[in-house]
Amino acid sequence: VYSVGGGPSATLDLDCSMLGESLIEITVTDDNGNVSTCMASVNVFDETAPALVCADATIELGADGTATIDPMTLVDSPSFDACGIESYGVSVTEVSCDDIGSPLTVTVFVSDASGNPSSCTATVTVVDTLAPVVTCPGNQTADPGAGNLFYEVPDYIGTGDATAIDNCSYAEISVIETTVPGNSIGNYSIVRIFSASDDCGNTSSATQVVTVQDTSSPSLVIPSDYTVECSGNIVFNDAS
């Protein structure tokens, strides 16, 4: 009979929970009921390396243009170790915009509870799926001014008030304007769509609406008063 802290047993089953040295009490009994015991030291070893299978992965960059490679994303489901994989590591821990377009070969390292190592390689493809961040001035109402039928919208791109920022590349910003007629000649709207794209083809846009309203009253010039003789001919000047 064997005993290792879990009560007597006619068999001795060893598993991963017993890794290392264990002290076992052995008890024997003869046909006459005579009993004898002794203690034995049993060392349990795991010398089998993990069965590691790698999986290729696509990594998306973040807003700062970098991404951290999680080793678990490169380990495929068939990977196995009888006593469990305890540590994971990769040969490349971080990728950036410079890695776009050139697949990387990344080595994955693992070890189990007994320190048995295993490794495999995976192909990592780095992509940028984030569109540029486009900003522009907010909607506004403008008056073209006395004597003007049309309002000249400022060049917000030139002044730097309309911008496009991308995590990886320069994003050129452009604007398309559409005029929407209003209820009179001096009243209308200008819809301005600012758009930008990066080197990976990601695009985004922002819209500004300028409402033009003619609030200036007409300027009326009245001729001066007249004093004439009753017999005279009166010629009136036109108002303007």
Side-chain angles (χ1 to χ4, degrees), residues 61-110:
L61 296 175
D64 64 347
T66 67
T68 300
I69 298 180
D70 181 358
M72 293 299 296
T73 62
L74 305 181
V75 176
D76 209 350
S77 55
S79 300
F80 171 78
D81 185 80
C83 292
I85 299 175
E86 285 203 347
S87 64
Y88 296 82
V90 285
S91 59
V92 178
T93 58
E94 186 177 89
V95 291
S96 67
C97 300
D98 295 335
D99 299 309
I100 295 175
S102 300
L104 303 174
T105 299
V106 179
T107 302
V108 180
F109 305 96
V110 300

Coordinates of all heavy atoms in Angstrom, one line a residue, residues 61-110:
L61 N -1.8 48.7 -36.4 CA -1.1 49.7 -35.7 C -2.1 50.6 -34.9 O -3.3 50.8 -35.4 CB -0.3 50.6 -36.6 CG 0.9 49.8 -37.3 CD1 1.6 50.7 -38.2 CD2 1.9 49.3 -36.2
G62 N -1.7 51.2 -33.8 CA -2.6 52.1 -33.1 C -2.4 53.5 -33.5 O -1.7 53.8 -34.4
A63 N -3.0 54.4 -32.7 CA -3.0 55.8 -33.0 C -1.6 56.4 -32.9 O -1.3 57.5 -33.6 CB -4.0 56.6 -32.1
D64 N -0.7 55.8 -32.2 CA 0.7 56.3 -32.1 C 1.6 55.7 -33.1 O 2.8 56.0 -33.0 CB 1.2 56.1 -30.6 CG 1.3 54.6 -30.3 OD1 0.8 53.8 -31.0 OD2 2.0 54.3 -29.3
G65 N 1.1 54.9 -34.0 CA 1.9 54.3 -35.0 C 2.7 53.1 -34.6 O 3.6 52.6 -35.3
T66 N 2.3 52.5 -33.4 CA 3.0 51.3 -33.0 C 2.0 50.2 -32.5 O 0.8 50.6 -32.3 CB 3.9 51.6 -31.8 OG1 3.2 52.0 -30.7 CG2 4.9 52.7 -32.2
A67 N 2.5 49.0 -32.3 CA 1.6 48.0 -31.7 C 2.5 47.0 -31.1 O 3.7 46.7 -31.5 CB 0.8 47.3 -32.8
T68 N 2.0 46.4 -30.0 CA 2.8 45.4 -29.2 C 2.3 44.0 -29.7 O 1.1 43.7 -29.8 CB 2.6 45.5 -27.7 OG1 3.0 46.8 -27.3 CG2 3.3 44.5 -26.9
I69 N 3.2 43.1 -29.9 CA 2.9 41.7 -30.3 C 2.7 40.9 -29.1 O 3.6 40.7 -28.3 CB 4.0 41.1 -31.2 CG1 4.2 41.9 -32.5 CG2 3.7 39.7 -31.5 CD1 5.3 41.4 -33.4
D70 N 1.5 40.4 -28.9 CA 1.1 39.4 -27.9 C 1.5 38.0 -28.3 O 1.0 37.5 -29.3 CB -0.4 39.5 -27.5 CG -0.8 38.6 -26.4 OD1 0.1 37.9 -25.9 OD2 -2.0 38.6 -26.1
P71 N 2.4 37.3 -27.6 CA 2.8 36.0 -28.0 C 1.6 35.1 -28.2 O 1.6 34.2 -29.1 CB 3.7 35.5 -26.9 CG 4.2 36.8 -26.3 CD 3.1 37.8 -26.4
M72 N 0.6 35.2 -27.4 CA -0.6 34.3 -27.5 C -1.3 34.4 -28.8 O -1.9 33.5 -29.3 CB -1.6 34.6 -26.4 CG -1.0 34.3 -25.0 SD -0.6 32.6 -24.8 CE -2.2 31.8 -25.0
T73 N -1.2 35.6 -29.5 CA -1.8 35.7 -30.8 C -1.1 34.9 -31.9 O -1.7 34.6 -33.0 CB -1.9 37.2 -31.3 OG1 -0.5 37.7 -31.4 CG2 -2.6 38.0 -30.3
L74 N 0.1 34.4 -31.6 CA 0.9 33.7 -32.6 C 0.9 32.2 -32.2 O 1.6 31.4 -33.0 CB 2.3 34.2 -32.7 CG 2.5 35.7 -33.0 CD1 3.9 36.1 -33.1 CD2 1.7 36.1 -34.3
V75 N 0.3 31.8 -31.2 CA 0.2 30.4 -30.8 C -1.1 29.8 -31.2 O -2.1 30.2 -30.8 CB 0.4 30.2 -29.2 CG1 0.3 28.8 -28.8 CG2 1.8 30.8 -28.8
D76 N -1.0 28.7 -32.0 CA -2.2 28.0 -32.5 C -2.7 27.1 -31.5 O -2.0 26.6 -30.6 CB -1.9 27.3 -33.9 CG -3.1 27.2 -34.8 OD1 -4.2 27.6 -34.3 OD2 -2.9 26.8 -35.9
S77 N -4.0 26.7 -31.7 CA -4.7 25.9 -30.7 C -4.2 24.5 -30.5 O -4.3 23.9 -29.4 CB -6.2 25.8 -31.1 OG -6.4 25.4 -32.4
P78 N -3.6 23.9 -31.5 CA -3.0 22.5 -31.3 C -1.8 22.5 -30.3 O -1.4 21.4 -29.9 CB -2.6 22.1 -32.7 CG -3.4 22.9 -33.6 CD -3.5 24.2 -33.0
S79 N -1.3 23.6 -30.0 CA -0.2 23.6 -29.0 C -0.6 23.0 -27.7 O -1.7 23.2 -27.2 CB 0.3 25.1 -28.8 OG 0.8 25.6 -30.0
F80 N 0.4 22.3 -27.1 CA 0.0 21.5 -25.9 C 1.3 21.2 -25.1 O 2.4 21.0 -25.7 CB -0.7 20.2 -26.3 CG -0.9 19.2 -25.2 CD1 -2.0 19.4 -24.3 CD2 -0.1 18.1 -25.0 CE1 -2.2 18.6 -23.3 CE2 -0.3 17.2 -24.0 CZ -1.4 17.5 -23.1
D81 N 1.1 21.1 -23.8 CA 2.1 20.5 -22.9 C 1.4 19.8 -21.8 O 0.4 20.3 -21.2 CB 3.0 21.6 -22.3 CG 4.1 21.0 -21.5 OD1 5.1 20.6 -22.1 OD2 4.0 21.0 -20.3
A82 N 1.9 18.6 -21.4 CA 1.2 17.8 -20.4 C 1.1 18.5 -19.1 O 0.1 18.3 -18.4 CB 2.0 16.4 -20.3
C83 N 2.1 19.3 -18.7 CA 2.0 19.9 -17.4 C 1.8 21.4 -17.6 O 1.9 22.2 -16.6 CB 3.4 19.7 -16.7 SG 3.6 18.0 -16.2
G84 N 1.4 21.9 -18.8 CA 1.1 23.3 -19.0 C 2.3 24.2 -19.4 O 3.4 24.0 -18.9
I85 N 2.0 25.1 -20.3 CA 3.0 26.1 -20.7 C 2.9 27.2 -19.7 O 1.9 27.8 -19.5 CB 2.7 26.5 -22.2 CG1 2.8 25.3 -23.1 CG2 3.7 27.6 -22.5 CD1 2.4 25.7 -24.5
E86 N 4.1 27.6 -19.2 CA 4.1 28.6 -18.1 C 4.6 30.0 -18.6 O 4.2 31.0 -18.1 CB 4.9 28.2 -17.0 CG 4.2 27.1 -16.1 CD 4.8 27.1 -14.7 OE1 5.9 27.7 -14.5 OE2 4.2 26.5 -13.8
S87 N 5.5 30.0 -19.6 CA 6.0 31.3 -20.1 C 6.0 31.4 -21.6 O 6.2 30.4 -22.3 CB 7.5 31.5 -19.5 OG 8.3 30.5 -20.1
Y88 N 5.8 32.6 -22.1 CA 5.7 32.9 -23.5 C 6.6 34.1 -23.8 O 6.8 35.0 -23.0 CB 4.3 33.2 -23.9 CG 3.3 32.1 -23.8 CD1 2.7 31.9 -22.5 CD2 3.0 31.3 -24.8 CE1 1.8 30.8 -22.4 CE2 2.0 30.3 -24.7 CZ 1.4 30.1 -23.5 OH 0.5 29.1 -23.3
G89 N 7.2 34.1 -25.0 CA 8.0 35.2 -25.4 C 8.1 35.3 -26.9 O 7.8 34.3 -27.6
V90 N 8.5 36.4 -27.5 CA 8.6 36.6 -28.9 C 9.9 37.3 -29.2 O 10.4 38.1 -28.4 CB 7.5 37.4 -29.5 CG1 6.2 36.5 -29.6 CG2 7.2 38.6 -28.8
S91 N 10.5 37.1 -30.4 CA 11.7 37.7 -30.8 C 11.5 39.2 -31.1 O 12.5 40.0 -31.1 CB 12.4 37.0 -32.0 OG 11.5 37.0 -33.1
V92 N 10.3 39.6 -31.5 CA 10.0 41.0 -31.8 C 8.8 41.3 -31.0 O 7.7 40.7 -31.1 CB 9.6 41.1 -33.3 CG1 9.3 42.6 -33.6 CG2 10.8 40.7 -34.2
T93 N 9.0 42.3 -30.1 CA 7.9 42.6 -29.2 C 7.0 43.8 -29.6 O 5.9 43.9 -29.2 CB 8.5 43.0 -27.8 OG1 9.4 44.1 -28.0 CG2 9.2 41.8 -27.2
E94 N 7.6 44.7 -30.5 CA 6.8 45.9 -31.0 C 7.1 46.1 -32.4 O 8.2 45.9 -32.9 CB 7.2 47.1 -30.1 CG 6.4 48.3 -30.4 CD 6.8 49.5 -29.5 OE1 7.7 50.3 -29.9 OE2 6.2 49.6 -28.5
V95 N 6.0 46.5 -33.1 CA 6.1 46.9 -34.5 C 5.7 48.3 -34.7 O 5.0 48.9 -33.8 CB 5.3 46.0 -35.4 CG1 5.9 44.6 -35.4 CG2 3.9 45.9 -34.9
S96 N 6.0 48.9 -35.9 CA 5.7 50.3 -36.1 C 5.4 50.5 -37.6 O 5.3 49.6 -38.4 CB 6.9 51.2 -35.7 OG 8.0 51.0 -36.6
C97 N 5.2 51.8 -37.9 CA 4.9 52.1 -39.3 C 5.9 51.7 -40.3 O 5.6 51.4 -41.5 CB 4.6 53.7 -39.5 SG 3.3 54.3 -38.4
D98 N 7.2 51.6 -39.9 CA 8.3 51.2 -40.7 C 8.2 49.8 -41.2 O 8.8 49.4 -42.1 CB 9.6 51.4 -40.0 CG 9.9 52.9 -39.7 OD1 9.4 53.7 -40.5 OD2 10.7 53.1 -38.8
D99 N 7.3 49.0 -40.5 CA 7.2 47.6 -40.8 C 6.1 47.3 -41.8 O 5.9 46.1 -42.2 CB 7.0 46.8 -39.5 CG 8.1 46.9 -38.5 OD1 9.2 46.7 -39.0 OD2 7.9 47.2 -37.4
I100 N 5.3 48.3 -42.2 CA 4.2 48.1 -43.1 C 4.8 47.7 -44.5 O 5.8 48.3 -45.0 CB 3.4 49.4 -43.3 CG1 2.7 49.7 -42.0 CG2 2.4 49.3 -44.4 CD1 2.0 51.1 -42.0
G101 N 4.2 46.7 -45.1 CA 4.6 46.3 -46.4 C 5.7 45.2 -46.5 O 6.0 44.7 -47.5
S102 N 6.3 44.9 -45.3 CA 7.4 43.9 -45.3 C 7.1 42.9 -44.2 O 7.3 43.2 -43.0 CB 8.8 44.6 -45.0 OG 9.1 45.5 -46.0
P103 N 6.5 41.8 -44.5 CA 6.1 40.8 -43.5 C 7.3 40.4 -42.6 O 8.5 40.3 -43.1 CB 5.6 39.6 -44.3 CG 5.2 40.2 -45.6 CD 6.1 41.3 -45.9
L104 N 7.1 40.2 -41.4 CA 8.2 39.9 -40.4 C 8.1 38.4 -40.0 O 7.0 37.9 -39.8 CB 8.0 40.7 -39.1 CG 8.0 42.3 -39.3 CD1 7.8 42.9 -38.0 CD2 9.4 42.7 -39.9
T105 N 9.3 37.8 -39.9 CA 9.3 36.5 -39.3 C 9.6 36.6 -37.8 O 10.7 37.0 -37.4 CB 10.4 35.6 -40.0 OG1 10.1 35.5 -41.4 CG2 10.5 34.2 -39.4
V106 N 8.7 36.2 -37.0 CA 8.8 36.3 -35.6 C 8.9 34.9 -34.9 O 8.1 34.0 -35.3 CB 7.6 37.0 -35.0 CG1 7.7 37.2 -33.5 CG2 7.4 38.4 -35.6
T107 N 9.9 34.8 -34.1 CA 10.0 33.5 -33.4 C 9.3 33.5 -32.0 O 9.5 34.5 -31.3 CB 11.5 33.2 -33.1 OG1 12.2 33.1 -34.4 CG2 11.7 31.8 -32.4
V108 N 8.5 32.5 -31.7 CA 7.8 32.4 -30.5 C 8.5 31.4 -29.6 O 8.9 30.3 -30.0 CB 6.4 31.9 -30.7 CG1 5.6 31.8 -29.4 CG2 5.6 32.9 -31.7
F109 N 8.8 31.8 -28.3 CA 9.5 30.9 -27.4 C 8.5 30.6 -26.2 O 7.9 31.5 -25.7 CB 10.7 31.6 -26.8 CG 11.7 32.1 -27.8 CD1 11.7 33.4 -28.3 CD2 12.7 31.2 -28.4 CE1 12.6 33.9 -29.2 CE2 13.6 31.7 -29.3 CZ 13.5 33.0 -29.7
V110 N 8.5 29.3 -25.8 CA 7.7 28.9 -24.7 C 8.5 27.9 -23.8 O 9.5 27.4 -24.3 CB 6.4 28.3 -25.1 CG1 5.5 29.2 -25.9 CG2 6.6 26.9 -25.8

